[in-house]
Amino acid sequence: QKEVEQDPGPLSVPEGAIVSLNCTYSNSAFQYFMWYRQYSRKGPELLMYTYSSGNKEDGRFTAQVDKSSKYISLFIRDSQPSDSATYLCAMSAGNNDMRFGAGTRLTVKP
Amino acid sequence: EPEVTQTPSHQVTQMGQEVILRCVPISNHLYFYWYRQILGQKVEFLVSFYNNEISEKSEIFDDQFSVERPDGSNFTLKIRSTKLEDSAMYFCASSESASDQPQHFGDGTRLSIL
């Protein structure tokens, strides 16, 4: 089983839709969970950062972590064409070694 | 907003040559990192650096690679005897602390080995 699994998509939604992005993982030592957004030819841009289980909301973005199921999610409400990008989940055990998912390519159509 | 800057944005090098990729981390950050992303693949951790020494490294980071903080602002990745398979995007990142603060990334250097 891969350490971090993420469906690469592509995912295409109409403008205004709610987007759900997910990752599963196998390493129970992971405690810190991140979502990054990556535009073409750019570096990963931090969107959400959570510690342990629970929900975190920031504007149109909500991150959820379920450590019991080893499952994390990112929800985007009222999606916009400018949200079109690749979304990367990432996680670490707090030891500097951050592991990334493969990234999900999202397109929001006007 | 403070950002991590990387130079050059694109580096083309002949196989067997040495390259140095440069990064200026965010000024109050203490932890520095290099990652690699081969085209179409995952972002992969290479090395972390704190207090002028390597704190973690992956199996990818072998004797071909080295890192250095030559002065108070720059953080460099040196790749010796480059191979075709070293062609990738190389991202530098920095963070305030090792675990409870997130890493912030630069826009990367695209390394092309011919």
Side-chain angles (χ1 to χ4, degrees):
Chain A
Q1 184 183 10
K2 292 180 182 177
E3 196 166 32
V4 181
E5 297 214 46
Q6 182 177 11
D7 185 342
L11 180 63
S12 181
V13 302
E15 183 175 354
I18 296 174
V19 176
S20 173
L21 304 167
N22 312 292
C23 287
T24 59
Y25 61 95
S26 59
N27 187 346
S28 58
F30 288 146
Q31 299 183 73
Y32 299 90
F33 303 92
M34 284 67 66
W35 286 95
Y36 287 86
R37 178 175 62 196
Q38 188 175 25
Y39 292 113
S40 181
R41 298 190 178 277
K42 291 286 196 177
E45 172 194 1
L46 181 69
L47 282 178
M48 301 292 280
Y49 176 74
T50 53
Y51 170 71
S52 194
S53 286
N55 294 355
K56 185 174 183 178
E57 187 173 320
D58 184 1
R60 296 184 295 110
F61 299 90
T62 299
Q64 290 184 351
V65 175
D66 182 348
K67 289 190 69 180
S68 62
S69 302
K70 297 189 178 67
Y71 187 88
I72 69 171
S73 301
L74 178 71
F75 298 95
I76 307 174
R77 289 182 298 280
D78 188 25
S79 56
Q80 304 294 309
S82 58
D83 295 328
S84 298
T86 296
Y87 289 80
L88 308 171
C89 66
M91 47 201 78
S92 80
N95 58 352
N96 299 341
D97 183 355
M98 191 159 64
R99 300 302 173 110
F100 281 83
T104 300
R105 183 179 296 179
L106 171 68
T107 300
V108 181
K109 296 186 175 180
Chain B
E1 185 174 324
E3 58 181 26
V4 175
T5 56
Q6 291 185 243
T7 55
S9 57
H10 188 197
Q11 173 78 47
V12 182
T13 301
Q14 291 290 329
M15 186 171 59
Q17 297 297 305
E18 175 182 287
V19 293
I20 297 177
L21 309 183
R22 304 180 189 279
C23 170
V24 178
I26 295 173
S27 62
N28 65 328
H29 287 186
L30 301 177
Y31 293 81
F32 315 119
Y33 314 85
W34 283 102
Y35 289 82
R36 179 181 79 177
Q37 187 176 30
I38 295 171
L39 184 64
Q41 298 187 23
K42 289 185 179 185
V43 176
E44 300 172 291
F45 170 77
L46 291 178
V47 66
S48 61
F49 190 86
Y50 169 71
N51 199 26
N52 279 320
E53 60 183 30
I54 291 172
S55 50
E56 297 269 349
K57 62 180 182 178
S58 73
E59 60 274 8
I60 302 169
F61 193 88
D62 60 20
D63 291 343
Q64 187 191 4
F65 295 89
S66 61
V67 290
E68 190 180 27
R69 187 150 164 86
D71 53 44
S73 59
N74 289 284
F75 178 51
T76 62
L77 174 69
K78 182 188 290 186
I79 309 175
R80 290 178 283 274
S81 301
T82 50
K83 299 172 284 197
L84 294 176
E85 53 265 39
D86 295 326
S87 296
M89 285 292 292
Y90 288 82
F91 293 107
C92 173
S94 68
S95 65
E96 287 184 58
S97 71
S99 56
D100 61 352
Q101 293 296 324
Q103 297 177 26
H104 296 266
F105 285 74
D107 280 338
T109 292
R110 181 155 64 104
L111 177 62
S112 299
I113 307 299
L114 303 180

